[in-house]
């Protein structure tokens, strides 16, 4: 395992949400299994922390990424895979969600190329660095044709389709705790994720067994395909369903609001019941009440589009 230099910074995590899969340790072949077991012995949570957010680890990952970009010549992706993971222990079983930073960096670079002007791309990452990263990806893809990320990321919003695997009972809201002395100067809450010294940010996440997640997505897909076969949500259900099928059937699935907690604020987080609302809409759809289903879906979509629109705020 490589040594990691932690970069201390006041930068908050980006306004991004994450959909993760944690596979049980037994799902990993040797020698990878032994490596994750040793990693968990050093970094793993206690069994009593199973329902806690992974915000501190998310911040650590963000700082490592910032260190890479702050190099004299910015690097589009790390030189080697991080060898790190998010961990959960549930009912005595260790679950592992590898960061897979290089793979996700390639995917992020592809998204950046598709959505950013060339001038901005050249400012952020020189073309030579991008070309080298893309060449590395082609070589790596030829050696790992079945590779898939354990983590999906969405900036500035939670896509509505991401709520399909979850119900309101899977929701876990952890209120933030102020820093000692009241936070930053001026009374501003810290939210820095540094522990008791700097306070603890709020967290909102959903956690569910894979079997339940697949069952919910499959039921939603059937109902949506019959009612609105060309709808955006039915295509989203198909994508999520295919992705979940790539993993061990005894995995855990997590939806983490991540850095969006800083964007939404505690009151909106406390009131947010997006997964439950989507469930209500799907129940109405299966009962034949298309008007009610459309109303629920419309309200949910509009609300998240308003959050997404904040990326253009000055």
């Amino acid at each position: 395992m490589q040594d990691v230099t932690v970069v201390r910074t006041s930068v908050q995590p980006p306004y991004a949400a994450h959909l993760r899969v944690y596979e049980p340790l037994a799902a990993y072949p040797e020698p990878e299994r032994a490596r994750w077991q040793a990693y968990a012995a050093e970094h793993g949570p206690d069994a009593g922390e199973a329902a806690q957010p992974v915000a501190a680890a998310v911040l650590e990952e963000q700082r490592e990424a910032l260190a890479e970009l702050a190099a004299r010549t910015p690097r589009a992706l790390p030189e080697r895979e991080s060898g790190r993971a998010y961990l959960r222990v549930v009912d005595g079983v260790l679950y592992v969600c590898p960061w897979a930073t290089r793979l996700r960096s390639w995917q992020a670079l592809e998204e950046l190329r598709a959505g950013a002007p060339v001038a901005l791309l050249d400012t952020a990452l020189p073309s030579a660095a991008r070309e080298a990263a893309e060449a590395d990806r082609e070589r790596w893809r030829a050696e790992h044709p079945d590779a898939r990320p354990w983590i999906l990321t969405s900036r500035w919003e939670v896509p509505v389709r991401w709520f399909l695997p979850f119900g309101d009972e899977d929701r876990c809201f952890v209120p933030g705790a102020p820093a000692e002395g009241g936070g930053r100067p001026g009374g501003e809450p810290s939210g820095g994720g540094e522990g008791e010294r700097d306070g603890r940010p709020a967290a909102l996440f959903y956690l569910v067994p894979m079997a339940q997640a697949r069952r919910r997505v499959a039921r939603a897909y059937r109902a949506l395909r019959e009612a609105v076969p060309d709808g955006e949500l039915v295509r989203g259900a198909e994508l999520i369903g295919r992705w979940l099928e790539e993993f061990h059937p005894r995995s855990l699935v997590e939806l983490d609001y991540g850095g969006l907690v800083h964007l939404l604020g505690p009151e909106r987080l406390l009131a947010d019941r997006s997964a439950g609302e989507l469930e209500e809409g799907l129940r109405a759809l299966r009962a034949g009440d298309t008007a009610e289903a459309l109303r629920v879906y419309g309200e949910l979509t509009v609300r998240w589009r308003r959050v997404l629109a904040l990326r253009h705020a000055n």
Side-chain angles (χ1 to χ4, degrees):
M1 188 183 305
Q2 67 185 52
D3 294 331
V4 175
T5 300
V6 176
V7 180
R8 298 298 177 187
T9 171
S10 60
V11 175
Q12 289 181 340
Y15 295 147
H18 311 280
L19 191 63
R20 305 187 185 102
V21 171
Y22 296 76
E23 293 190 282
L25 183 63
Y28 295 90
E30 295 289 5
E32 192 176 2
R33 184 187 307 174
R35 181 167 61 83
W36 288 130
Q37 194 163 23
Y39 177 84
E42 183 178 355
H43 303 282
D46 297 327
E49 297 177 319
Q52 294 301 310
V54 293
V58 172
L59 195 60
E60 198 79 358
E61 184 184 16
Q62 170 69 4
R63 284 169 173 158
E64 286 191 22
L66 287 173
E68 294 283 346
L69 289 174
R72 184 179 297 273
T73 300
R75 291 191 288 269
L77 63 154
E79 294 180 1
R80 60 183 66 87
E81 199 51 89
S82 67
R84 305 190 69 184
Y86 298 110
L87 304 172
R88 287 194 178 277
V89 177
V90 179
D91 296 331
V93 177
L94 173 65
Y95 294 87
V96 181
C97 176
W99 286 5
T101 309
R102 278 175 65 85
L103 175 58
R104 291 165 56 215
S105 296
W106 278 316
Q107 292 175 324
L109 180 59
E110 192 172 299
E111 293 173 11
L112 188 65
R113 287 182 57 203
V118 174
L120 179 59
L121 270 174
D122 288 340
T123 301
L125 278 172
S127 59
R130 298 200 309 274
E131 290 169 3
E134 290 161 7
D136 284 345
R137 179 178 186 176
E138 291 306 314
R139 286 192 295 268
W140 186 89
R141 180 183 284 171
E143 298 172 0
H144 305 83
D146 299 325
R148 73 282 191 263
W150 286 263
I151 305 170
L152 303 181
T153 297
S154 173
R155 284 159 291 279
W156 292 96
E157 66 166 343
V158 179
V160 172
R161 64 181 179 276
W162 282 16
F163 293 109
L164 289 170
F166 308 97
D168 196 55
E169 67 274 18
D170 307 314
R171 179 182 182 275
C172 185
F173 174 62
V174 181
E180 291 182 2
R184 297 192 180 106
E188 180 186 353
S190 170
E194 289 282 356
E196 291 299 321
R197 180 173 62 82
D198 289 324
R200 181 191 68 210
L204 178 57
F205 65 95
Y206 293 80
L207 189 66
V208 67
M210 176 64 79
Q212 193 170 355
R214 288 177 178 173
R215 186 163 54 247
R216 282 195 177 120
V217 172
R219 290 188 66 201
Y221 178 71
R222 287 194 296 269
L224 291 163
R225 187 179 56 183
E226 292 176 4
V228 282
D230 297 323
E232 180 180 352
L233 193 54
V234 72
R235 291 191 292 272
E238 183 177 8
L239 289 174
I240 293 297
R242 288 180 176 177
W243 182 64
L244 294 179
E245 288 293 333
E246 296 286 335
F247 301 97
H248 193 279
R250 296 190 182 276
S251 301
L252 300 176
V253 186
E254 178 185 51
L255 168 55
D256 183 359
Y257 276 44
L260 290 182
V261 298
H262 303 291
L263 182 66
L264 298 174
E267 292 184 2
R268 293 172 73 177
L269 289 173
L270 186 61
D272 187 279
R273 289 294 189 280
S274 295
E277 291 176 46
L278 186 57
E279 265 195 321
E280 292 175 8
L282 290 168
R283 279 197 295 269
L285 189 63
R286 285 191 287 267
D289 191 347
T290 306
E292 174 63 11
L294 289 173
R295 183 193 67 79
V296 171
Y297 177 68
E299 290 181 358
L300 188 58
T301 302
V302 167
R303 189 163 69 244
W304 278 105
R305 282 178 179 169
R306 287 173 180 164
V307 176
L308 180 62
L310 293 174
R311 65 182 173 180
H312 300 298
N314 189 333

